[in-house]
Amino acid sequence: MSEKTFLITGVSSGLGLALARAALEAGHRVIGTVRQPAALRTFEALSPGRAHGVMLDVGQADLVAPVLDDAINRLGPVDVLVNNAGYGHEGLFEESPLEHMRQQFEVNLFGAAAVMQALVPHFRRQRGGHILNITSMGGTITMPGVSYYCASKFALEGLTAALRQELAPFNVHVTAVAPGSFRTDWAGRSMQRSARSIADYDSLFDPIRAARQAKSGKQLGDPAKAAQAILHIIEAPEPPAQILLGSDALDLVREHLHQRLAEIDQWQALTRSTDG
Ligand code: NAP
């Protein structure tokens, strides 16, 4: 394993922090983005001289390029970009203001895109690098009550897959990392929950919201093990287009894809009927 420089967005908690820790322990350098000065100090204390904190809110897309260009000028070229910063919006579509959807996309999609726009020219010129976008199983399957979140992660999956094809000629790998449920702050302090207002949805949605709150902090997935799996992908000679993390993601996504294929087969005569 050669020493690499990672750029990881959102290293204050959860998957980003676990990955930063694992990368530092494996001997890599990590530039980690945070939003609070206290988080920056805590992050740099993980490994003084090899853990470099940068203040960045990825939801402010116009600030991303100048901040990251400055970081690369000061700290040198990056080998691995991990677009991890993101959060979950929970709320029924009919009850959730469009503004909440815009915020969700500003961070989960446009934030990740802005970070990639800053890094892709470096990767292309250096003819090497690896971009890993943390999507979600909710970027392939859907659940009621997280339509804005799923929409943002479906979009990030699509962006990731197309970018993979564009950057392949330059020896730049692009991978979507799609976790199931992990023990992080995602469903706790980080989640934005739209208020309830329509009683018609009570029986569908109230149990879902209550179950997610009750499960927060007790999810199946271990972030430290996710970090080891991501390091494994980074060392692979031919990294996959998408890697699912967690047996919940594996079961749900596999079942969904089987159902989709069965439906495509069921309707194929009608599908073919439109050919000219
Ligand atoms: P987390 O513990 O809440 O961590 C989220 C990280 O993202 C924090 O460092 C947070 O920083 C940062 N962040 C949020 N909004 C940001 C913004 N506008 N600009 C910069 N940083 C921002 O949750 P997590 O589970 O580790 O989430 C990491 C990624 O995994 C997210 O993209 C999430 O959607 C994805 N994911 C999580 C799960 C899961 O079950 N945990 C499943 C699938 C996908 P602050 O401390 O400043 O808020």
Side-chain angles (χ1 to χ4, degrees), residues 8 10-25 46 84 184 222-228 231:
I8 306 173
V11 293
S12 64
S13 68
L15 295 169
L17 175 59
L19 179 60
R21 276 206 177 109
L24 290 165
E25 277 163 20
L46 289 177
N84 165 76
T184 69
D222 177 347
K225 291 185 176 170
Q228 292 304 328
L231 289 184

PDB file of all heavy atoms in Angstrom, residues 8 10-25 46 84 184 222-228 231:
ATOM      1  N   ILE A   8     -11.520  14.274   2.327  1.00  0.00           N
ATOM      2  CA  ILE A   8     -12.814  13.723   2.769  1.00  0.00           C
ATOM      3  C   ILE A   8     -13.671  14.880   3.257  1.00  0.00           C
ATOM      4  O   ILE A   8     -13.251  15.645   4.150  1.00  0.00           O
ATOM      5  CB  ILE A   8     -12.627  12.700   3.917  1.00  0.00           C
ATOM      6  CG1 ILE A   8     -11.629  11.602   3.518  1.00  0.00           C
ATOM      7  CG2 ILE A   8     -13.978  12.092   4.309  1.00  0.00           C
ATOM      8  CD1 ILE A   8     -11.268  10.648   4.668  1.00  0.00           C
ATOM      9  N   GLY A  10     -16.743  16.372   5.401  1.00  0.00           N
ATOM     10  CA  GLY A  10     -17.574  16.000   6.557  1.00  0.00           C
ATOM     11  C   GLY A  10     -16.905  14.983   7.468  1.00  0.00           C
ATOM     12  O   GLY A  10     -17.377  13.858   7.605  1.00  0.00           O
ATOM     13  N   VAL A  11     -15.801  15.416   8.124  1.00  0.00           N
ATOM     14  CA  VAL A  11     -15.062  14.480   8.995  1.00  0.00           C
ATOM     15  C   VAL A  11     -15.356  14.705  10.480  1.00  0.00           C
ATOM     16  O   VAL A  11     -14.642  14.189  11.334  1.00  0.00           O
ATOM     17  CB  VAL A  11     -13.529  14.547   8.749  1.00  0.00           C
ATOM     18  CG1 VAL A  11     -13.185  14.037   7.361  1.00  0.00           C
ATOM     19  CG2 VAL A  11     -12.984  15.944   8.991  1.00  0.00           C
ATOM     20  N   SER A  12     -16.414  15.459  10.782  1.00  0.00           N
ATOM     21  CA  SER A  12     -16.688  15.735  12.201  1.00  0.00           C
ATOM     22  C   SER A  12     -17.363  14.570  12.911  1.00  0.00           C
ATOM     23  O   SER A  12     -17.296  14.472  14.138  1.00  0.00           O
ATOM     24  CB  SER A  12     -17.571  16.982  12.332  1.00  0.00           C
ATOM     25  OG  SER A  12     -18.829  16.720  11.740  1.00  0.00           O
ATOM     26  N   SER A  13     -18.035  13.685  12.163  1.00  0.00           N
ATOM     27  CA  SER A  13     -18.732  12.569  12.818  1.00  0.00           C
ATOM     28  C   SER A  13     -19.005  11.462  11.797  1.00  0.00           C
ATOM     29  O   SER A  13     -18.701  11.609  10.611  1.00  0.00           O
ATOM     30  CB  SER A  13     -20.056  13.039  13.456  1.00  0.00           C
ATOM     31  OG  SER A  13     -20.990  13.407  12.460  1.00  0.00           O
ATOM     32  N   GLY A  14     -19.547  10.363  12.283  1.00  0.00           N
ATOM     33  CA  GLY A  14     -20.075   9.315  11.420  1.00  0.00           C
ATOM     34  C   GLY A  14     -19.069   8.660  10.488  1.00  0.00           C
ATOM     35  O   GLY A  14     -17.918   8.397  10.852  1.00  0.00           O
ATOM     36  N   LEU A  15     -19.531   8.427   9.260  1.00  0.00           N
ATOM     37  CA  LEU A  15     -18.724   7.691   8.286  1.00  0.00           C
ATOM     38  C   LEU A  15     -17.466   8.457   7.903  1.00  0.00           C
ATOM     39  O   LEU A  15     -16.397   7.859   7.719  1.00  0.00           O
ATOM     40  CB  LEU A  15     -19.566   7.401   7.031  1.00  0.00           C
ATOM     41  CG  LEU A  15     -20.764   6.460   7.243  1.00  0.00           C
ATOM     42  CD1 LEU A  15     -21.671   6.452   6.014  1.00  0.00           C
ATOM     43  CD2 LEU A  15     -20.294   5.040   7.540  1.00  0.00           C
ATOM     44  N   GLY A  16     -17.570   9.779   7.766  1.00  0.00           N
ATOM     45  CA  GLY A  16     -16.412  10.587   7.377  1.00  0.00           C
ATOM     46  C   GLY A  16     -15.318  10.532   8.432  1.00  0.00           C
ATOM     47  O   GLY A  16     -14.125  10.376   8.111  1.00  0.00           O
ATOM     48  N   LEU A  17     -15.709  10.650   9.694  1.00  0.00           N
ATOM     49  CA  LEU A  17     -14.727  10.575  10.785  1.00  0.00           C
ATOM     50  C   LEU A  17     -14.101   9.176  10.845  1.00  0.00           C
ATOM     51  O   LEU A  17     -12.885   9.035  10.986  1.00  0.00           O
ATOM     52  CB  LEU A  17     -15.396  10.922  12.121  1.00  0.00           C
ATOM     53  CG  LEU A  17     -14.533  10.765  13.367  1.00  0.00           C
ATOM     54  CD1 LEU A  17     -13.278  11.645  13.304  1.00  0.00           C
ATOM     55  CD2 LEU A  17     -15.335  11.101  14.636  1.00  0.00           C
ATOM     56  N   ALA A  18     -14.944   8.150  10.728  1.00  0.00           N
ATOM     57  CA  ALA A  18     -14.418   6.774  10.792  1.00  0.00           C
ATOM     58  C   ALA A  18     -13.436   6.516   9.656  1.00  0.00           C
ATOM     59  O   ALA A  18     -12.378   5.892   9.869  1.00  0.00           O
ATOM     60  CB  ALA A  18     -15.579   5.776  10.728  1.00  0.00           C
ATOM     61  N   LEU A  19     -13.758   7.013   8.462  1.00  0.00           N
ATOM     62  CA  LEU A  19     -12.857   6.797   7.328  1.00  0.00           C
ATOM     63  C   LEU A  19     -11.560   7.589   7.511  1.00  0.00           C
ATOM     64  O   LEU A  19     -10.470   7.080   7.215  1.00  0.00           O
ATOM     65  CB  LEU A  19     -13.551   7.197   6.017  1.00  0.00           C
ATOM     66  CG  LEU A  19     -12.686   7.042   4.768  1.00  0.00           C
ATOM     67  CD1 LEU A  19     -12.232   5.586   4.573  1.00  0.00           C
ATOM     68  CD2 LEU A  19     -13.420   7.534   3.527  1.00  0.00           C
ATOM     69  N   ALA A  20     -11.683   8.824   7.988  1.00  0.00           N
ATOM     70  CA  ALA A  20     -10.472   9.633   8.220  1.00  0.00           C
ATOM     71  C   ALA A  20      -9.558   8.932   9.224  1.00  0.00           C
ATOM     72  O   ALA A  20      -8.339   8.825   9.008  1.00  0.00           O
ATOM     73  CB  ALA A  20     -10.862  11.022   8.727  1.00  0.00           C
ATOM     74  N   ARG A  21     -10.134   8.436  10.305  1.00  0.00           N
ATOM     75  CA  ARG A  21      -9.342   7.720  11.323  1.00  0.00           C
ATOM     76  C   ARG A  21      -8.629   6.517  10.711  1.00  0.00           C
ATOM     77  O   ARG A  21      -7.434   6.303  10.930  1.00  0.00           O
ATOM     78  CB  ARG A  21     -10.267   7.205  12.429  1.00  0.00           C
ATOM     79  CG  ARG A  21     -10.593   8.207  13.483  1.00  0.00           C
ATOM     80  CD  ARG A  21     -10.941   7.459  14.801  1.00  0.00           C
ATOM     81  NE  ARG A  21     -11.193   8.411  15.851  1.00  0.00           N
ATOM     82  CZ  ARG A  21     -12.391   8.666  16.369  1.00  0.00           C
ATOM     83  NH1 ARG A  21     -13.457   8.003  15.924  1.00  0.00           N
ATOM     84  NH2 ARG A  21     -12.524   9.556  17.314  1.00  0.00           N
ATOM     85  N   ALA A  22      -9.402   5.717   9.952  1.00  0.00           N
ATOM     86  CA  ALA A  22      -8.833   4.489   9.377  1.00  0.00           C
ATOM     87  C   ALA A  22      -7.728   4.826   8.368  1.00  0.00           C
ATOM     88  O   ALA A  22      -6.692   4.148   8.328  1.00  0.00           O
ATOM     89  CB  ALA A  22      -9.937   3.671   8.712  1.00  0.00           C
ATOM     90  N   ALA A  23      -7.940   5.870   7.576  1.00  0.00           N
ATOM     91  CA  ALA A  23      -6.928   6.255   6.581  1.00  0.00           C
ATOM     92  C   ALA A  23      -5.651   6.732   7.276  1.00  0.00           C
ATOM     93  O   ALA A  23      -4.539   6.380   6.871  1.00  0.00           O
ATOM     94  CB  ALA A  23      -7.488   7.334   5.657  1.00  0.00           C
ATOM     95  N   LEU A  24      -5.823   7.519   8.336  1.00  0.00           N
ATOM     96  CA  LEU A  24      -4.642   7.994   9.085  1.00  0.00           C
ATOM     97  C   LEU A  24      -3.906   6.815   9.717  1.00  0.00           C
ATOM     98  O   LEU A  24      -2.673   6.737   9.648  1.00  0.00           O
ATOM     99  CB  LEU A  24      -5.067   9.004  10.159  1.00  0.00           C
ATOM    100  CG  LEU A  24      -5.563  10.363   9.632  1.00  0.00           C
ATOM    101  CD1 LEU A  24      -6.288  11.136  10.731  1.00  0.00           C
ATOM    102  CD2 LEU A  24      -4.408  11.191   9.067  1.00  0.00           C
ATOM    103  N   GLU A  25      -4.661   5.891  10.296  1.00  0.00           N
ATOM    104  CA  GLU A  25      -4.026   4.719  10.924  1.00  0.00           C
ATOM    105  C   GLU A  25      -3.300   3.864   9.895  1.00  0.00           C
ATOM    106  O   GLU A  25      -2.300   3.218  10.210  1.00  0.00           O
ATOM    107  CB  GLU A  25      -5.077   3.873  11.660  1.00  0.00           C
ATOM    108  CG  GLU A  25      -5.383   4.406  13.051  1.00  0.00           C
ATOM    109  CD  GLU A  25      -6.684   3.845  13.636  1.00  0.00           C
ATOM    110  OE1 GLU A  25      -7.146   2.787  13.159  1.00  0.00           O
ATOM    111  OE2 GLU A  25      -7.222   4.488  14.558  1.00  0.00           O
ATOM    112  N   LEU A  46      -6.168  14.344  15.742  1.00  0.00           N
ATOM    113  CA  LEU A  46      -6.120  12.894  15.494  1.00  0.00           C
ATOM    114  C   LEU A  46      -4.726  12.470  15.061  1.00  0.00           C
ATOM    115  O   LEU A  46      -4.272  11.360  15.389  1.00  0.00           O
ATOM    116  CB  LEU A  46      -7.108  12.497  14.381  1.00  0.00           C
ATOM    117  CG  LEU A  46      -8.597  12.545  14.677  1.00  0.00           C
ATOM    118  CD1 LEU A  46      -9.392  12.190  13.422  1.00  0.00           C
ATOM    119  CD2 LEU A  46      -8.955  11.608  15.821  1.00  0.00           C
ATOM    120  N   ASN A  84     -18.393  12.803   1.141  1.00  0.00           N
ATOM    121  CA  ASN A  84     -19.158  12.163   2.223  1.00  0.00           C
ATOM    122  C   ASN A  84     -20.180  13.114   2.837  1.00  0.00           C
ATOM    123  O   ASN A  84     -21.246  12.675   3.281  1.00  0.00           O
ATOM    124  CB  ASN A  84     -18.164  11.682   3.291  1.00  0.00           C
ATOM    125  CG  ASN A  84     -18.837  11.354   4.595  1.00  0.00           C
ATOM    126  OD1 ASN A  84     -19.474  10.316   4.740  1.00  0.00           O
ATOM    127  ND2 ASN A  84     -18.732  12.259   5.575  1.00  0.00           N
ATOM    128  N   THR A 184     -24.526   6.355  12.985  1.00  0.00           N
ATOM    129  CA  THR A 184     -23.898   7.685  12.906  1.00  0.00           C
ATOM    130  C   THR A 184     -24.911   8.697  13.441  1.00  0.00           C
ATOM    131  O   THR A 184     -25.952   8.315  13.967  1.00  0.00           O
ATOM    132  CB  THR A 184     -23.571   8.034  11.432  1.00  0.00           C
ATOM    133  OG1 THR A 184     -24.819   8.229  10.738  1.00  0.00           O
ATOM    134  CG2 THR A 184     -22.774   6.926  10.746  1.00  0.00           C
ATOM    135  N   ASP A 222     -21.660  -0.737  11.221  1.00  0.00           N
ATOM    136  CA  ASP A 222     -20.566  -0.210  12.053  1.00  0.00           C
ATOM    137  C   ASP A 222     -19.691   0.699  11.170  1.00  0.00           C
ATOM    138  O   ASP A 222     -19.060   0.210  10.222  1.00  0.00           O
ATOM    139  CB  ASP A 222     -19.759  -1.401  12.597  1.00  0.00           C
ATOM    140  CG  ASP A 222     -18.564  -0.963  13.424  1.00  0.00           C
ATOM    141  OD1 ASP A 222     -18.208   0.231  13.391  1.00  0.00           O
ATOM    142  OD2 ASP A 222     -17.983  -1.837  14.090  1.00  0.00           O
ATOM    143  N   PRO A 223     -19.622   1.999  11.452  1.00  0.00           N
ATOM    144  CA  PRO A 223     -18.845   2.916  10.598  1.00  0.00           C
ATOM    145  C   PRO A 223     -17.372   2.510  10.472  1.00  0.00           C
ATOM    146  O   PRO A 223     -16.776   2.700   9.407  1.00  0.00           O
ATOM    147  CB  PRO A 223     -18.984   4.262  11.311  1.00  0.00           C
ATOM    148  CG  PRO A 223     -20.253   4.162  12.076  1.00  0.00           C
ATOM    149  CD  PRO A 223     -20.375   2.724  12.501  1.00  0.00           C
ATOM    150  N   ALA A 224     -16.789   1.944  11.530  1.00  0.00           N
ATOM    151  CA  ALA A 224     -15.372   1.549  11.456  1.00  0.00           C
ATOM    152  C   ALA A 224     -15.188   0.435  10.419  1.00  0.00           C
ATOM    153  O   ALA A 224     -14.175   0.401   9.695  1.00  0.00           O
ATOM    154  CB  ALA A 224     -14.880   1.089  12.827  1.00  0.00           C
ATOM    155  N   LYS A 225     -16.171  -0.464  10.331  1.00  0.00           N
ATOM    156  CA  LYS A 225     -16.085  -1.543   9.328  1.00  0.00           C
ATOM    157  C   LYS A 225     -16.349  -0.997   7.923  1.00  0.00           C
ATOM    158  O   LYS A 225     -15.744  -1.458   6.952  1.00  0.00           O
ATOM    159  CB  LYS A 225     -17.049  -2.679   9.678  1.00  0.00           C
ATOM    160  CG  LYS A 225     -16.596  -3.431  10.926  1.00  0.00           C
ATOM    161  CD  LYS A 225     -17.468  -4.622  11.222  1.00  0.00           C
ATOM    162  CE  LYS A 225     -16.903  -5.376  12.427  1.00  0.00           C
ATOM    163  NZ  LYS A 225     -17.824  -6.416  12.915  1.00  0.00           N
ATOM    164  N   ALA A 226     -17.241  -0.002   7.822  1.00  0.00           N
ATOM    165  CA  ALA A 226     -17.441   0.655   6.522  1.00  0.00           C
ATOM    166  C   ALA A 226     -16.133   1.293   6.061  1.00  0.00           C
ATOM    167  O   ALA A 226     -15.762   1.210   4.888  1.00  0.00           O
ATOM    168  CB  ALA A 226     -18.533   1.720   6.634  1.00  0.00           C
ATOM    169  N   ALA A 227     -15.424   1.903   6.993  1.00  0.00           N
ATOM    170  CA  ALA A 227     -14.147   2.555   6.657  1.00  0.00           C
ATOM    171  C   ALA A 227     -13.150   1.540   6.105  1.00  0.00           C
ATOM    172  O   ALA A 227     -12.478   1.798   5.097  1.00  0.00           O
ATOM    173  CB  ALA A 227     -13.585   3.255   7.893  1.00  0.00           C
ATOM    174  N   GLN A 228     -13.061   0.373   6.740  1.00  0.00           N
ATOM    175  CA  GLN A 228     -12.135  -0.658   6.252  1.00  0.00           C
ATOM    176  C   GLN A 228     -12.550  -1.134   4.858  1.00  0.00           C
ATOM    177  O   GLN A 228     -11.696  -1.370   3.995  1.00  0.00           O
ATOM    178  CB  GLN A 228     -12.087  -1.854   7.225  1.00  0.00           C
ATOM    179  CG  GLN A 228     -11.440  -1.527   8.564  1.00  0.00           C
ATOM    180  CD  GLN A 228     -10.013  -0.964   8.450  1.00  0.00           C
ATOM    181  OE1 GLN A 228      -9.270  -1.316   7.547  1.00  0.00           O
ATOM    182  NE2 GLN A 228      -9.654  -0.067   9.350  1.00  0.00           N
ATOM    183  N   LEU A 231     -11.458   1.481   2.354  1.00  0.00           N
ATOM    184  CA  LEU A 231     -10.005   1.399   2.106  1.00  0.00           C
ATOM    185  C   LEU A 231      -9.686   0.227   1.186  1.00  0.00           C
ATOM    186  O   LEU A 231      -8.807   0.313   0.321  1.00  0.00           O
ATOM    187  CB  LEU A 231      -9.237   1.253   3.433  1.00  0.00           C
ATOM    188  CG  LEU A 231      -9.195   2.481   4.346  1.00  0.00           C
ATOM    189  CD1 LEU A 231      -8.306   2.196   5.560  1.00  0.00           C
ATOM    190  CD2 LEU A 231      -8.689   3.727   3.607  1.00  0.00           C
TER     191      LEU A 231
END
